[in-house]
Amino acid sequence: MNAVSSKRRDGNSALSDLEEFSDSDFVSREPPAKKLKMASEALTRLDLRGSGSPGNSESYEVDITAPNAAISAEWADVIDQVKNAIVAIRVTAVRSFEDCAAGVWDGTGFVVSLDNPKEALILTNRHIITTGPIRARATFYEHDDLPIWPVYRDPVHDFGLFQFDATELRFTPPTAIAVVPSELRVGTEVLVIGNDNAEKIQILPATIARTDRNCPEYHDNYEDENTFYAGAGSNTSGGSSGSPVIARSGNCIALNAGGAHEAASAFFLPLDRAVYVLE
C-alpha cells in the first residue's frame, strides 16, 4: 500500500544515432556497429538507404542479440528461481487503530523461512501489516490462496512478518528467498518483483543509484526513522510495497517500501535489521 502524498508508499534512440552520419557515410563505408542502437532486441538487421536511386539500398548486419540473449537467459533463471516465493497480499483492516485506518488494500510479500513448514514466514512492509487488527490472505504464483497471520511488526522500521502453513500449498512448490543485505551496493542491477498496481507478479528492472538516502517522508502517521534507504528508478506503484529487490544472485538485497508520485524514484529499505529478527 502506498500512502497518498508527494511520495508513495509503495525508435527514437536509433534515429538520433543515425543522424550523426551523413548520406555519404552510408554510401562510402559501413558505420560501426556500436553506432547502431536498435529499438527492439528482436531486430538483427538494419537496412540503410544510400543517396542513390530510390531502389538502391545497402544492408548492414548488426550482431546485437548475443549479449542481450545471455542477459535475458540469466535473469530468466533468477525469476524462475524466486517466483514461487513471492505472494500477492490482500489485507482487510476491520477497524481503525493507532496509525491504521479501517479498509482494504493490496501489497506484496515473499517467503523467507520454511524451517518449520507449518509456521513459514513471509516478509513484507510494516505499513502493509499495520498495527491494528487485520485479516489477510496471500495468493501464490500457482494460484494457491491461503490465510496468513501477522506475527511481527517492527516497532521502528518498515518491515514485518506474516506466518502461514506451507503444508497447505497444493500447486505452488514451497520456496524461500535468501535475504542478503550485504549485496546492496551502488550500481547493482536488480529486479523488483511484486504485485505492482495490484497485478500479480510484475517485474520492474532498476539499478541501485544510492544507498545513503534519508528515510522517505510520506506525510502520514507512520514514517521510518534512524536508518538509510536505497534509491533506484524502478517506477513502482501501489501494491508493490513489500516486493523483494532481487539481485542476479537470486538473493533479496532490499525491500521495496515506496516511491515518488511524479517520478520514477523508488525507495528500498535495507534488510540488516530484518535479518537480525529472523535469526
Side-chain angles (χ1 to χ4, degrees):
M1 179 187 68
N2 289 337
V4 178
S5 70
S6 61
K7 295 183 177 65
R8 297 188 325 278
R9 280 220 261 226
D10 74 45
N12 291 335
S13 59
L15 179 59
S16 62
D17 287 327
L18 296 182
E19 290 173 346
E20 296 179 4
F21 299 97
S22 65
D23 287 342
S24 60
D25 289 328
F26 297 147
V27 175
S28 60
R29 63 184 176 86
E30 179 175 318
K34 66 180 181 180
K35 292 287 188 178
L36 305 178
K37 297 179 180 179
M38 301 298 98
S40 169
E41 292 181 2
L43 184 60
T44 60
R45 184 180 182 86
L46 178 65
D47 292 332
L48 302 176
R49 292 194 177 274
S51 59
S53 64
N56 181 26
S57 65
E58 297 183 10
S59 299
Y60 304 101
E61 297 293 337
V62 183
D63 184 12
I64 63 171
T65 58
N68 292 330
I71 293 172
S72 298
E74 182 180 356
W75 275 123
D77 291 340
V78 172
I79 294 167
D80 189 61
Q81 174 185 335
V82 303
K83 64 184 181 182
N84 290 319
I86 300 171
V87 299
I89 297 174
R90 170 62 62 91
V91 175
T92 302
V94 297
R95 56 162 295 175
S96 298
F97 185 82
E98 292 186 352
D99 59 358
C100 169
V104 179
W105 54 84
D106 297 294
T108 304
F110 59 101
V111 181
V112 291
S113 175
L114 290 168
D115 293 342
N116 183 347
K118 286 189 171 293
E119 298 178 355
L121 297 176
I122 292 172
L123 180 65
T124 188
N125 287 125
R126 185 186 116 151
H127 72 260
I128 295 297
I129 296 180
T130 73
T131 57
I134 62 171
R135 292 292 183 93
R137 300 190 69 88
T139 303
F140 289 76
Y141 184 76
E142 296 293 348
H143 308 292
D144 290 285
D145 185 81
L146 299 179
I148 55 178
W149 301 273
V151 292
Y152 180 78
R153 300 168 168 97
D154 195 82
V156 178
H157 303 297
D158 196 7
F159 74 91
L161 295 168
F162 281 109
Q163 180 179 296
F164 75 103
D165 186 354
T167 63
E168 295 185 4
L169 291 171
R170 297 181 57 196
F171 307 109
T172 306
T175 306
I177 298 175
V179 179
V180 186
S182 61
E183 294 183 15
L184 180 63
R185 302 184 183 94
V186 172
T188 302
E189 294 182 352
V190 296
L191 296 180
V192 182
I193 308 177
N195 189 29
D196 191 65
N197 198 32
E199 294 287 341
K200 184 165 71 76
I201 304 298
Q202 298 297 298
I203 302 171
L204 300 171
T207 301
I208 301 299
R210 56 185 301 190
T211 58
D212 60 351
R213 190 194 188 282
N214 289 335
C215 298
E217 297 178 1
Y218 300 118
H219 305 292
D220 200 352
N221 291 329
Y222 167 73
E223 292 181 1
D224 208 334
E225 60 182 348
N226 197 31
T227 186
F228 288 117
Y229 268 63
S234 64
N235 201 29
T236 53
S237 61
S240 61
S241 291
S243 298
V245 179
I246 302 294
R248 290 184 184 276
S249 60
N251 298 325
C252 175
I253 64 175
L255 187 68
N256 182 63
H261 275 296
E262 299 179 357
S265 302
F267 314 129
F268 303 151
L269 173 68
L271 291 174
D272 306 81
R273 295 162 183 85
V275 169
Y276 177 81
V277 170
L278 289 169
E279 291 177 347

